[in-house]
C-alpha cells in the first residue's frame, strides 16, 4: 500500500517517459536532493567529507562509468584504474599549463581526454569479447600506469613522481588543496555527480542506450537489425571513459590532493573495487552504481567503527576480521542475490506495493 | 522479541560510544598509523610494537608525560594512502603528532596537517626537503634524511675504494614509488661529482617479482648495489642477490632495508650484507630494562613480544622517545602539562637530545645526539653502517656515525623546498 500506483494516471507521453514516473519516487528523490544540497553542507565535518561522502560520490561516478560499459553494453573492463589515472594526470597537466583556467572546465576537459584514450583502448573490443576483452583492458591498466610512472613529462619532472594539486577556486571559495572547506569540496563533487548522473540516465533511455543493450544481449542479432557494432561499442567506451576520467580527476584534485600513480591507481585499489561495486550494486542499473559505491566505501569504515570503537577489538584483529567478512559477503551476495543491491531494492518495492496484503 | 533485543543492543552501543568519547578528552593523544597487515607487515609489526611498548612503559613508570597519560589509539592503514587519510581525519582532533610510517601517506598529510595545525614526524623518511623548517613549519624528519643516506652510502663506498670510484658502476635497486625515487637526484649529482656510473633498477610494488632486476645485475656486474626497499621487497632482493652470488659486502641497503626480517629468510647467503642505520640494535640499554620491568614482565607486551631488541623495534623506541621528549620540552616551554597541538610543535622544534639527555632517558650510546631548530627540522644527518653476521644472527656496527655530503644535500634541499614554497605560496619563516 505504501507503493500504491493506483490512481496515478499518465495522460501525456511526457509524464509517461519521466525518470521517476511514480509520485512516491518523486517525493523520495526530492527529499534526498533536499538533504544532500541543503542540509548536509551545513553539518558536514572533515571526517565525513574525506572518509565517506567525497569518496562515495567519486566512486559512484566511476561505477556509473563502468556500468555503462559493462552493465549496459556488456563489455567487461578491468582498466578502470588506468582510465582514472588518465583523468588525474590530464587535470594535473592542464592545471600547470593553464593556471587561470576554471577547475570545473579543467575536469570536464580531462574527461574528454580520457574518452579519447578510451576509444583507442576500446578498438580491440570489435574483435574480442568476454574474458579475452577483460585481459585486453587489463593490459591498458598496466600500460597506462607504467606510462605515467615512466615518462617524467607527465609528472613535470618532479623527483619523486608525485603529482600535487594547487589551490583552485569556484566563486572565490577554494575547492582543491588543503585549505578547501569541507562543504565546498562536497558540493563541488555533488553538483558534478548529480548532473552527470542525469545525463547518463537519459543517455541510457535514448537510442544510444538501447543500442548498447542490444549489443549486450546478442551482438549478432543487434547487427542484423541494424545496430552498428563499431559505433555502438566505441561510443560506450568513450562515454564510460569520460565518466571514469572525471572521477579520476576528482579523485586526484579534490579528494587526495597528492597522488602517486603506482599506488593510487593500482588494480587492487581501483579497478577491482569498482568492478565489485557494480556487481554488488547491480549490473545495468543506475541505482546499483550508487548502492554499490556506498557499500564498498562504507563497509570497511562501518566494520572498523563497530569492531574497534564499539567492541574494543585491536585495530589489527579488526582488520583481519574485515578482510574475512568482506570475502564472505562477496560470496554470499553472489549466491543469494546475483543481481545485486538494486534488485533487492526492486523486490522490496514489490513487497511494499502489496503490503499489508501479501499473497 | 527481536525488536526488543535490537533496542537493547542499540542502547548498549550508544553508551559504549559516549563513554569512548569521554575517555579521550583529558590525556595526550599520540595516534598511531600502523600496518600489521599486508605486504609491508613484516616491517610494520616490529616498529609498531616498539612504539606501543615505549608508550606503555612511560605510562607505567612515570605516570605519563608530566602527569598526563599517553593515549595511543592504533589505526590500521595496510600501507594504503586512502586508508591513511581516513585514519588521519578520524584521529586528528587534539592529536599531538602523526607518524605515518609511509612516504605516500606523509606526502598526503604534509599539506593537510599544515592546514590543520598538526605536527607530522617522519623519522628518517618522507619528503627529504621537509628538513627545511623555514618552509615546512609542521613537518619534521630528524635525525637524518634520504639524501644524507645516499651520500653516506657513497662515502662508505669511497672509503672502501681508497677515495677513488671513478668509472665504477653503482646500481640502485629501488621501490618504484615516491619513497624509492627519493635518492635518485642526489645519486645523480654525486655520480657527476665522483665520476661513477649510476644504474637505476626499479622494482614494482609489492616487490616479490625481481627476477629481471637481478638478471640485469648479473649481466652488468655493477661494483656496488644500493637498495631502497621496504616490506617483502627487502627479503626477495637479499635472497636474489645471494642466489646470483653477488658479493654481499658490496650490497648496501638504506636504514629501512636492514632489519632481521629482511636478512633471515636468505639464511647463510645474507652473511656480510650491509645497511645504514641511525640507531643501535640489541637490548643492552636502560630503556630495554625498563620496558622489561614495567611492560613485558607484567604480560602487557604489544603483539607477541618476540621483536624485543630487533632493529625496527628499537627504531620504534627511538621514534616514540623523540615524540615523548617533544611533549616534555613543550610542557617546559609553556609551563603547563596540558599542552595543545600548537604547543607540541614548539616542543618538537626545540628538541635537544644531547648525549647527556639521551643517557637520562635510558638511551645512552643508542643513537647519535641531535637537535632541532627553527631552520633545521632534519636533525644531525648522522648515520652508520651495520653488517649482518649470519652465523651469530646479529647486526654489528662496522663504522662510526658519519655525515653525508652536506654541500650537495643542503643545496638540493634548498632547491626543492623553494620549489614547494613557490607552488604553495608559503613565506619563509625564521628570518
Amino acid at each position: 500500500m505504501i507503493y500504491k500506483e493506483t490512481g496515478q494516471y499518465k495522460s501525456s507521453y511526457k509524464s509517461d517517459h519521466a525518470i521517476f514516473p511514480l509520485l512516491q519516487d518523486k517525493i523520495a528523490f526530492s527529499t534526498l536532493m533536499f538533504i544532500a544540497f541543503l542540509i548536509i553542507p551545513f553539518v558536514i565535518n572533515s571526517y565525513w567529507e574525506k572518509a565517506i561522502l567525497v569518496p562515495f560520490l567519486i566512486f559512484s561516478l566511476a561505477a556509473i562509468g563502468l556500468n555503462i560499459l559493462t552493465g549496459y553494453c556488456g563489455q567487461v573492463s578491468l582498466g578502470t584504474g588506468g582510465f582514472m589515472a588518465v583523468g588525474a594526470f590530464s587535470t594535473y597537466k592542464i592545471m600547470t599549463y593553464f593556471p587561470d583556467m576554471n577547475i570545473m572546465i579543467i575536469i570536464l576537459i580531462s574527461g574528454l581526454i580520457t574518452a579519447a584514450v578510451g576509444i583507442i583502448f576500446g578498438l580491440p573490443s570489435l574483435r574480442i569479447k568476454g574474458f579475452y576483452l577483460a585481459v585486453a583492458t587489463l593490459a591498458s591498466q598496466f600500460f597506462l600506469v607504467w606510462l605515467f610512472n615512466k615518462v617524467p613529462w607527465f609528472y613535470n619532472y618532479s623527483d619523486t613522481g608525485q603529482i600535487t594539486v594547487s589551490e583552485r577556486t569556484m566563486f572565490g571559495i577554494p575547492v582543491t588543496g588543503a585549505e578547501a572547506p569541507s562543504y565546498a569540496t562536497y558540493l563541488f563533487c555533488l553538483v558534478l555527480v548529480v548532473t552527470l548522473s542525469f545525463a547518463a540516465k537519459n543517455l541510457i533511455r535514448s537510442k544510444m542506450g538501447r543500442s548498447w543493450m542490444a549489443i549486450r544481449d546478442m551482438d549478432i542479432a543487434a547487427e542484423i537489425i541494424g545496430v552498428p557494432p563499431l559505433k555502438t561499442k566505441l561510443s560506450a567506451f568513450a562515454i564510460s571513459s569520460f565518466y571514469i576520467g572525471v572521477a579520476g580527476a576528482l579523485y586526484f584534485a579534490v579528494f587526495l590532493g597528492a597522488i602517486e600513480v603506482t599506488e593510487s591507481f593500482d588494480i587492487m585499489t581501483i579497478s577491482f573495487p569498482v568492478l565489485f561495486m557494480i556487481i554488488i550494486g547491480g549490473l545495468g542499473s543506475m541505482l546499483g552504481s550508487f548502492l554499490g559505491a556506498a557499500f564498498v566505501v562504507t563497509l570497511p569504515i562501518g566494520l572498523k567503527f563497530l569492531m574497534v570503537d564499539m567492541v574494543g577489538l585491536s585495530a589489527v584483529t579488526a582488520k583481519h576480521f574485515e578482510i574475512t567478512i568482506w570475502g564472505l559477503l562477496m560470496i554470499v551476495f553472489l549466491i543469494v542475490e546475483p543481481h545485486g543491491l538494486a534488485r533487492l531494492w526492486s523486490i522490496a518495492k514489490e513487497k511494499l506495493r502489496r503490503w499489508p496484503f501479501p499473497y | 522479541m527481536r525488536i526488543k533485543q535490537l533496542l537493547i543492543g542499540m542502547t548498549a552501543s550508544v553508551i559504549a560510544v559516549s563513554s569512548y568519547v569521554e575517555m579521550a578528552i583529558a590525556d595526550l593523544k599520540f595516534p598511531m598509523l600502523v600496518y600489521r597487515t599486508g605486504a609491508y607487515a613484516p616491517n610494520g609489526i616490529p616498529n609498531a610494537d616498539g612504539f606501543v611498548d615505549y608508550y606503555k612503559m612511560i605510562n607505567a613508570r612515570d605516570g605519563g608525560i608530566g602527569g598526563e597519560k599517553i593515549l595511543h589509539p592504533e589505526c590500521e592503514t595496510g600501507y594504503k594512502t586512502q586508508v591513511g587519510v581516513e585514519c588521519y581525519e578520524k584521529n586528528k582532533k587534539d592529536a599531538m603528532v602523526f607518524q605515518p610510517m609511509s612516504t605516500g601517506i606523509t606526502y598526503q598529510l604534509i599539506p593537510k596537517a599544515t592546514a590543520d595545525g598538526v605536527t607530522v614526524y617522519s623519522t628518517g623518511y618522507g619528503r627529504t626537503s621537509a628538513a627545511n623548517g623555514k618552509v615546512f613549519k609542521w613537518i619534521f624528519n630528524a635525525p637524518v634524511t634520504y639524501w644524507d643516506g645516499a651520500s653516506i652510502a657513497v662515502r662508505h663506498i669511497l672509503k672502501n675504494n681508497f677515495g677513488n670510484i671513478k668509472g665504477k658502476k653503482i646500481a640502485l635497486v629501488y621501490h618504484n614509488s615516491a619513497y624509492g625515487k627519493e635518492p635518485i637526484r642526489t645519486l645523480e649529482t654525486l655520480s657527476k661529482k665522483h665520476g661513477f656510473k649510476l644504474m637505476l633498477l626499479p622494482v614494482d610494488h609489492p616487490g616479490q617479482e625481481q627476477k629481471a632486476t637481478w638478471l640485469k645485475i648479473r649481466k652488468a656486474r655493477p661494483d656496488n648495489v644500493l637498495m631502497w626497499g621496504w616490506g617483502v621487497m627487502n627479503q626477495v632482493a637479499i635472497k636474489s642477490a645471494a642466489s646470483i652470488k653477488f658479493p654481499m659486502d658490496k650490497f648496501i641497503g638504506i636504514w629501512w632495508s636492514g632489519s632481521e626480517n629482511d636478512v633471515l629468510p636468505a639464511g647463510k647467503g645474507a652473511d656480510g650484507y650491509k645497511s645504514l642505520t641511525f640507531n643501535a640494535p640489541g637490548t643492552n640499554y636502560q630503556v630495554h630494562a625498563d620496558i622489561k620491568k614495567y611492560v613485558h614482565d607484567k604480560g602487557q607486551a604489544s603483539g607477541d613480544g618476540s621483536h624485543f631488541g630487533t632493529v625496527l623495534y628499537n627504531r620504534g623506541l627511538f621514534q616514540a622517545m623523540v615524540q615523548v621528549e617533544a611533549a616534555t620540552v613543550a610542557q617546559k616551554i609553556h609551563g603547563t602539562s596540558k599542552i595543545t597541538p600548537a604547543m607540541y610543535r614548539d616542543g618538537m622544534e626545540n628538541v635537544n637530545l644531547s648525549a647527556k639527555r639521551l643517557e637520562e632517558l635510558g638511551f645512552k650510546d643508542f643513537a647519535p645526539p641531535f637537535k632541532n631548530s627553527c631552520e633545521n627540522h632534519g636533525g644531525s644527518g648522522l648515520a652508520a653502517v651495520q653488517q649482518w653476521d649470519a652465523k651469530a644472527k646479529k647486526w654489528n656496527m662496522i663504522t662510526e656515525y658519519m655525515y653525508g655530503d652536506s654541500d650537495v644535500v643542503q643545496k638540493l634541499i634548498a632547491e626543492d623546498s623553494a620549489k614547494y614554497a613557490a607552488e604553495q605560496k608559503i613565506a619563509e619563516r625564521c628570518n
Side-chain angles (χ1 to χ4, degrees):
Chain A
M1 294 288 269
I2 292 174
Y3 251 103
K4 204 168 77 171
E5 288 161 71
T6 39
Q8 298 190 27
Y9 301 110
K10 311 283 181 331
S11 52
S12 67
Y13 283 117
K14 205 177 157 234
S15 64
D16 199 33
H17 288 172
I19 291 180
F20 299 107
L22 284 186
L23 181 68
Q24 288 92 333
D25 281 347
K26 262 183 212 148
I27 295 171
F29 182 76
S30 331
T31 326
L32 189 69
M33 285 298 108
F34 178 76
I35 294 172
F37 276 98
L38 294 172
I39 295 183
I40 292 178
F42 293 101
V43 293
I44 193 170
N45 62 21
S46 70
Y47 179 74
W48 276 86
E49 176 222 352
K50 284 274 183 260
I52 298 169
L53 289 170
V54 167
F56 158 68
L57 289 171
I58 292 170
F59 279 109
S60 305
L61 209 53
I64 291 171
L66 188 64
N67 225 337
I68 288 175
L69 188 63
T70 306
Y72 288 102
C73 195
Q75 313 294 309
V76 185
S77 165
L78 287 174
T80 319
F83 293 129
M84 272 178 81
V86 175
F89 277 80
S90 315
T91 304
Y92 177 67
K93 286 307 283 186
I94 300 171
M95 270 177 126
T96 47
Y97 274 121
F98 305 101
D100 297 325
M101 197 184 266
N102 186 293
I103 180 75
M104 188 70 98
I105 297 170
I106 296 180
I107 284 175
L108 292 175
I109 295 176
S110 309
L112 292 176
I113 294 173
T114 318
V117 176
I119 291 176
I120 298 170
F121 284 101
L123 283 174
S125 70
L126 302 173
R127 282 298 177 87
I128 49 181
K129 324 182 207 184
F131 287 126
Y132 303 94
L133 182 65
V135 174
T137 52
L138 188 65
S140 75
Q141 157 82 31
F142 287 125
F143 170 75
L144 289 167
V145 168
W146 171 84
L147 181 76
F148 294 130
N149 194 28
K150 181 76 187 168
V151 182
W153 178 78
F154 287 111
Y155 47 85
N156 283 358
Y157 305 94
S158 84
D159 286 338
T160 50
Q162 285 257 357
I163 56 172
T164 314
V165 75
S166 45
E167 192 175 285
R168 288 291 186 282
T169 56
M170 283 291 283
F171 311 113
I173 302 160
V175 289
T176 66
E179 304 278 351
S182 300
Y183 72 87
T185 56
Y186 164 76
L187 277 178
F188 185 76
C189 292
L190 187 69
V191 167
L192 265 172
V193 169
V194 170
T195 329
L196 288 176
S197 310
F198 267 107
K201 181 77 192 170
N202 281 319
L203 264 179
I204 287 158
R205 289 147 22 106
S206 72
K207 185 186 162 200
M208 193 184 264
R210 282 194 295 274
S211 46
W212 291 340
M213 286 181 257
I215 289 279
R216 171 192 68 190
D217 292 339
M218 197 175 180
D219 51 354
I220 295 173
E223 202 177 344
I224 290 168
I225 59 169
V227 176
L230 174 83
K231 212 178 113 194
T232 313
K233 281 183 180 175
L234 288 190
S235 67
F237 262 98
I239 288 163
S240 151
S241 304
F242 175 81
Y243 279 81
I244 293 171
V246 171
L250 291 173
Y251 185 70
F252 157 65
V254 179
F255 177 43
L256 286 178
I259 264 185
E260 187 194 322
V261 65
T262 46
E263 209 253 327
S264 300
F265 296 110
D266 188 46
I267 184 160
M268 298 308 284
T269 36
I270 303 279
S271 303
F272 279 123
V274 176
L275 192 63
F276 294 160
M277 281 173 204
I278 62 168
I279 292 174
I280 292 174
L283 286 167
S285 155
M286 281 298 283
L287 179 69
S289 311
F290 286 100
L291 292 178
F295 188 80
V296 172
V297 169
T298 54
L299 184 78
I301 296 170
L303 284 177
K304 191 156 86 175
F305 179 72
L306 200 74
M307 288 190 286
V308 179
D309 299 343
M310 306 268 242
V311 184
L313 288 181
S314 76
V316 58
T317 323
K319 187 75 183 178
H320 287 304
F321 270 119
E322 184 197 308
I323 297 168
T324 321
I325 292 173
W326 177 238
L328 274 177
L329 272 179
M330 277 299 281
I331 297 170
V332 168
F333 246 102
L334 291 179
I335 293 172
V336 176
E337 191 41 270
H339 297 289
L341 292 165
R343 173 82 187 133
L344 281 182
W345 169 236
S346 66
I347 292 173
K349 270 207 305 205
E350 204 62 29
K351 290 242 159 90
L352 286 174
R353 186 174 290 150
R354 288 173 200 149
W355 186 85
F357 306 112
Y359 52 83
Chain B
M1 188 58 195
R2 261 194 183 164
I3 290 176
K4 205 172 165 191
Q5 281 168 345
L6 201 69
L7 278 177
I8 293 171
M10 272 163 69
T11 343
S13 49
V14 167
I15 293 168
V17 172
S18 45
S19 59
Y20 170 80
V21 171
E22 268 167 31
M23 200 177 69
I25 294 173
D27 311 305
L28 297 180
K29 189 162 132 193
F30 289 77
M32 293 178 58
L33 308 185
V34 298
Y35 33 98
R36 295 172 185 269
T37 61
Y40 302 91
N43 293 154
I45 293 170
N47 187 261
D49 285 350
F51 269 96
V52 175
D53 281 355
Y54 189 77
Y55 290 148
K56 278 186 182 162
M57 188 271 283
I58 292 287
N59 277 345
R61 189 188 67 185
D62 309 343
I65 310 169
E68 304 291 324
K69 283 257 189 260
I70 303 173
L71 269 182
H72 45 91
E74 271 188 36
C75 195
E76 171 72 33
T77 66
Y79 205 71
K80 290 199 175 75
T81 310
Q82 199 187 322
V83 187
V85 172
E86 198 252 325
C87 285
Y88 167 77
E89 292 293 341
K90 189 171 179 181
N91 289 307
K92 73 178 181 190
K93 195 170 171 284
D94 299 323
M96 293 298 138
V97 59
F98 275 89
Q99 177 82 248
M101 281 315 287
S102 138
T103 301
I105 300 177
T106 310
Y107 269 86
Q108 215 25 256
L109 294 193
I110 287 172
K112 289 194 175 78
T114 308
D116 293 333
V118 179
T119 306
V120 173
Y121 180 33
S122 52
T123 319
Y125 62 90
R127 185 173 189 134
T128 295
S129 58
N132 184 359
K134 289 180 180 179
V135 174
F136 295 88
K137 184 178 172 190
W138 294 90
I139 322 297
F140 296 82
N141 59 1
V144 58
T145 67
Y146 286 139
W147 297 352
D148 291 321
S151 58
I152 290 168
V154 171
R155 172 156 295 184
H156 182 68
I157 297 170
L158 263 171
K159 213 165 137 198
N160 288 353
N161 287 288
F162 310 106
N164 183 12
I165 49 173
K166 202 164 220 145
K168 297 248 177 202
K169 218 184 269 173
I170 298 179
L172 171 69
V173 176
Y174 65 97
H175 191 262
N176 200 357
S177 67
Y179 155 58
K181 286 176 185 167
E182 279 279 346
I184 293 177
R185 203 146 74 100
T186 314
L187 288 173
E188 277 169 351
T189 316
L190 288 170
S191 92
K192 266 178 222 145
K193 188 173 170 186
H194 298 296
F196 64 85
K197 271 186 227 138
L198 183 65
M199 199 178 144
L200 297 175
L201 299 166
V203 173
D204 283 331
H205 158 89
Q208 257 139 347
E209 179 48 55
Q210 297 184 26
K211 282 221 177 69
T213 312
W214 290 93
L215 200 66
K216 270 188 207 157
I217 289 179
R218 214 165 86 176
K219 270 190 193 152
R221 298 186 177 279
D223 299 286
N224 287 87
V225 175
L226 303 180
M227 172 160 76
W228 252 251
W230 189 229
V232 286
M233 174 182 164
N234 289 338
Q235 309 174 355
V236 176
I238 293 166
K239 261 194 196 159
S240 313
S243 71
I244 65 161
K245 304 239 160 20
F246 187 82
M248 276 297 170
D249 57 338
K250 299 277 168 72
F251 187 13
I252 308 173
I254 185 65
W255 39 79
W256 303 114
S257 305
S259 70
E260 289 79 358
N261 290 318
D262 304 330
V263 281
L264 281 174
K268 281 204 183 99
D271 191 53
Y273 171 73
K274 289 173 180 172
S275 92
L276 302 178
T277 183
F278 55 83
N279 65 275
T283 54
N284 305 323
Y285 302 91
Q286 184 58 40
V287 61
H288 290 92
D290 285 347
I291 286 177
K292 197 134 192 47
K293 186 170 156 201
Y294 289 100
V295 182
H296 282 217
D297 288 350
K298 287 186 189 155
Q300 292 174 338
S302 166
D304 55 2
S306 63
H307 303 291
F308 192 59
T310 61
V311 172
L312 287 171
Y313 177 93
N314 278 10
R315 189 156 304 146
L317 294 182
F318 177 80
Q319 291 169 298
M321 178 270 285
V322 177
Q323 295 187 169
V324 169
E325 173 69 4
T328 314
V329 174
Q331 288 173 339
K332 228 176 261 164
I333 296 175
H334 291 280
T336 168
S337 68
K338 293 190 189 338
I339 50 171
T340 62
M343 293 178 185
Y344 181 86
R345 196 208 69 86
D346 297 340
M348 187 59 106
E349 198 161 84
N350 291 295
V351 159
N352 183 3
L353 286 163
S354 59
K356 189 167 149 264
R357 183 63 188 151
L358 282 172
E359 192 179 341
E360 283 168 18
L361 292 167
F363 286 82
K364 191 182 179 213
D365 298 331
F366 184 84
F370 82 91
K371 163 176 172 193
N372 282 336
S373 67
C374 183
E375 298 87 12
N376 180 16
H377 287 186
S380 62
L382 282 167
V385 179
Q386 59 178 4
Q387 192 167 30
W388 177 247
D389 181 346
K391 225 179 252 155
K393 294 200 171 151
K394 171 166 173 271
W395 286 101
N396 298 315
M397 297 277 235
I398 55 166
T399 68
E400 294 289 301
Y401 285 104
M402 47 189 168
Y403 289 103
D405 196 330
S406 60
D407 298 346
V408 173
V409 173
Q410 286 307 325
K411 202 174 139 235
L412 290 176
I413 287 179
E415 268 173 32
D416 192 63
S417 52
K419 206 168 117 193
Y420 182 81
E423 255 176 40
Q424 304 287 323
K425 302 189 182 78
I426 297 172
E428 284 200 356
R429 308 182 304 135
C430 323
N431 290 325

